[in-house]
């Protein structure tokens, strides 16, 4: 027979998360095995009910089917099903984290930041430099991140005796556990400033505007991301996050890009396509080049100009590809018509 978790916690089916949590805490305190009049079986049942109803997905499955289908064993019979906190607020999750990570100290770092930058087509091809003014939590310039006034010394943290970590021992219904965590006073450094910095209040970081130079490399494409390590937000006595810059490239009125090649369309007269000619074309750098159009060229043919495309590694460049567009006249003079009729007569 399926268990009625709502009845176990003494709440209705429309109970909010806060109501579920409140009911669990009251009953866990009441039935805690270490207390006089406690009941271990009821305590386990309360834990099991809370484990299901406090999880939105499991609660939805339970409300619909009267069961959950994630393969989880009964919280009352297996330790894997407990909500790992007792009525005193002791977090067993910290204990198991110590078991599986070896209690090692993890590197603390600030959060990452992402920004968007728009560049011209030319800037994306040849590269450019941008300066951004970003408001973020950064290292205090007055104290250099130490949190201490200039010419002031650092002293040993009395809370952790200079260890940077403190040990806590708690009793629970499954035994006594000792855990070690970062000292909340010195934030793991083991030292605190004798005279705190007046600008950042001894934190070593503060919210401020910071100008950051961004070098955009040649050949960058639309949507690419540049990562600037350590240019994100900082935290006290820890590392800084990263800054991610997403590049948006403006479209060009003439040039298009295909890999490392540049493409343009060139309109030529019909007579020039038949007889051949020379055309002046402008490159992306703004220089004029003379392009020879061979006689008898077809519509849509592509002429290649080497080393006028996108810069690549090792100092090389792609090519400039010129697509031929033949202009067909809509009106012809009598003489032009006669000449074309003669040309048709020759089988051309």
């Amino acid at each position: 027979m399926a268990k009625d978790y709502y009845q176990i916690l003494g709440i209705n089916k429309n109970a909010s998360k806060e109501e579920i949590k409140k009911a669990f805490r009251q009953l866990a305190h009441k039935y805690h095995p270490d207390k006089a009049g406690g009941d271990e079986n009821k305590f386990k049942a309360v834990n099991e009910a809370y484990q299901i109803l406090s999880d939105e997905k499991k609660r939805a499955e339970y409300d619909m089917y009267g069961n959950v289908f994630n393969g989880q064993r009964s919280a009352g019979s297996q330790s894997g099903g407990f909500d790992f906190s007792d009525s005193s607020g002791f977090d067993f999750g910290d204990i198991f984290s110590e078991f599986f990570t070896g209690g090692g100290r993890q590197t603390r770092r600030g959060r990452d930041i992402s920004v968007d930058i728009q560049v011209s087509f030319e800037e994306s091809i040849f590269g450019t430099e941008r300066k951004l003014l970003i408001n973020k939590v950064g290292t205090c310039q007055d104290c250099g991140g130490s949190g201490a006034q200039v010419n002031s010394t650092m002293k040993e943290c009395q809370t952790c005796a200079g260890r940077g970590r403190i040990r806590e021992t708690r009793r629970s219904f499954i035994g006594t556990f000792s855990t070690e965590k970062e000292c909340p006073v010195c934030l793991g450094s083991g030292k605190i400033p004798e005279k705190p910095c007046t600008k950042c209040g001894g934190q070593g970081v503060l919210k401020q505007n910071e100008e950051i130079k961004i070098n955009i490399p040649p050949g960058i494409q639309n949507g690419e991301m540049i990562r600037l390590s350590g240019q994100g937000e900082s935290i006290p006595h820890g590392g800084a996050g990263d800054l991610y810059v997403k590049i948006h490239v403006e479209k060009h009125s003439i040039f298009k890009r295909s890999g490392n090649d540049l493409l343009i369309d060139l309109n030529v007269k019909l007579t020039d396509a038949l007889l051949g000619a020379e055309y002046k074309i402008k490159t992306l750098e703004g220089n004029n080049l003379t392009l020879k159009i061979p006689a008898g060229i077809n519509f849509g043919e592509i002429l290649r100009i080497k080393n006028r495309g996108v810069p690549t590694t090792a100092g090389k460049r792609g090519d400039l590809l010129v697509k031929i567009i033949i202009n067909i006249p809509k009106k012809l003079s009598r003489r032009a018509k006669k000449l074309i009729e003669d040309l048709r007569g020759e089988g051309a």
Side-chain angles (χ1 to χ4, degrees), residues 267-326:
N267 294 297
V268 301
K269 294 189 297 184
L270 176 60
T271 52
D272 292 338
L274 293 172
L275 303 174
E278 289 185 349
Y279 276 74
K280 294 286 186 182
I281 62 171
K282 184 167 287 189
T283 64
L284 194 60
E285 299 97 312
N287 302 324
N288 287 322
L289 288 179
T290 300
L291 178 66
K292 186 176 181 180
I293 308 298
I297 195 168
N298 291 318
F299 186 99
E301 277 196 59
I302 293 177
L303 301 179
R304 183 183 299 270
I305 303 175
K306 292 187 175 182
N307 300 319
R308 290 290 182 172
V310 181
T312 62
T313 56
K316 296 182 179 180
R317 291 183 64 173
D319 300 330
L320 174 59
L321 307 180
V322 183
K323 183 178 180 181
I324 301 301
I325 308 297
I326 300 174

Side-chain angles (χ1 to χ4, degrees), residues 9 74 92 99 105-107 114 134 142 164 175 208 216 253 262 287 304 313 343:
L9 292 181
S74 170
F92 291 104
F99 288 161
R105 181 179 176 184
Q106 297 180 345
T107 303
S114 65
I134 300 178
D142 282 17
Q208 59 190 348
I216 299 173
S253 59
L262 294 177
N287 302 324
R304 183 183 299 270
T313 56
L343 189 63

Side-chain angles (χ1 to χ4, degrees), residues 164-182:
R165 300 182 70 79
I166 57 175
R167 181 175 292 275
E168 290 184 342
T169 301
R170 297 281 188 89
R171 288 185 65 242
S172 75
F173 71 97
I174 57 175
T176 301
F177 292 95
S178 292
T179 60
E180 194 176 80
K181 65 178 183 179
E182 183 182 85

Side-chain angles (χ1 to χ4, degrees), residues 3-31 41-55 59 62-63 75 81-83 85:
K3 298 178 182 179
D4 189 335
Y5 291 132
Y6 292 101
Q7 185 177 13
I8 291 173
L9 292 181
I11 55 177
N12 59 52
K13 289 190 175 182
N14 297 322
S16 65
K17 281 187 175 182
E18 287 301 318
E19 290 172 330
I20 293 172
K21 195 172 186 179
K22 182 178 179 182
F24 164 70
R25 285 179 174 175
Q26 290 175 345
L27 292 173
H29 183 76
K30 178 180 178 180
Y31 295 126
N41 290 329
K42 288 184 177 180
F43 182 75
K44 290 179 179 179
V46 168
N47 267 293
E48 181 179 350
Y50 179 69
Q51 179 72 9
I52 300 302
L53 299 183
S54 62
D55 185 293
R59 183 180 181 182
Y62 173 73
D63 288 344
F82 281 109
D83 174 78
S85 59

Side-chain angles (χ1 to χ4, degrees), residues 122-273:
E122 291 87 348
E123 288 174 330
S124 74
I125 300 301
F126 302 115
T128 187
E129 181 181 292
R130 288 290 178 86
K131 291 181 179 179
L132 288 181
L133 189 65
I134 300 178
N135 185 260
K136 64 170 186 173
V137 178
T139 301
C140 175
Q141 299 302 312
D142 282 17
C143 65
S146 68
Q149 292 184 24
V150 179
N151 300 323
S152 174
T153 59
M154 302 292 288
K155 64 180 181 180
E156 183 181 277
C157 175
Q158 299 299 311
T159 304
C160 64
R163 294 180 62 247
R165 300 182 70 79
I166 57 175
R167 181 175 292 275
E168 290 184 342
T169 301
R170 297 281 188 89
R171 288 185 65 242
S172 75
F173 71 97
I174 57 175
T176 301
F177 292 95
S178 292
T179 60
E180 194 176 80
K181 65 178 183 179
E182 183 182 85
C183 175
V185 177
C186 66
L187 302 178
S189 68
K191 296 181 180 297
I192 58 174
E194 194 172 60
K195 295 181 180 180
C197 173
T198 55
K199 187 174 183 179
C200 65
Q203 294 296 306
V205 297
L206 74 162
K207 194 86 169 179
Q208 59 190 348
N209 289 325
E210 187 172 332
E211 186 178 78
I212 297 176
K213 184 172 70 174
I214 302 171
N215 290 313
I216 299 173
I220 197 165
Q221 301 208 50
N222 184 58
E224 280 197 69
M225 197 83 76
I226 298 173
R227 176 191 174 198
L228 298 179
S229 181
Q231 294 292 340
E233 291 205 327
S234 302
I235 56 174
H237 306 296
D242 298 332
L243 172 63
Y244 291 88
V245 183
K246 187 174 184 179
I247 302 299
H248 299 272
V249 180
E250 296 175 354
K251 290 185 177 181
H252 198 279
S253 59
I254 299 174
F255 291 90
K256 294 180 182 179
R257 179 174 178 173
S258 176
N260 291 324
D261 295 329
L262 294 177
L263 290 79
I264 61 169
D265 292 338
L266 179 63
N267 294 297
V268 301
K269 294 189 297 184
L270 176 60
T271 52
D272 292 338

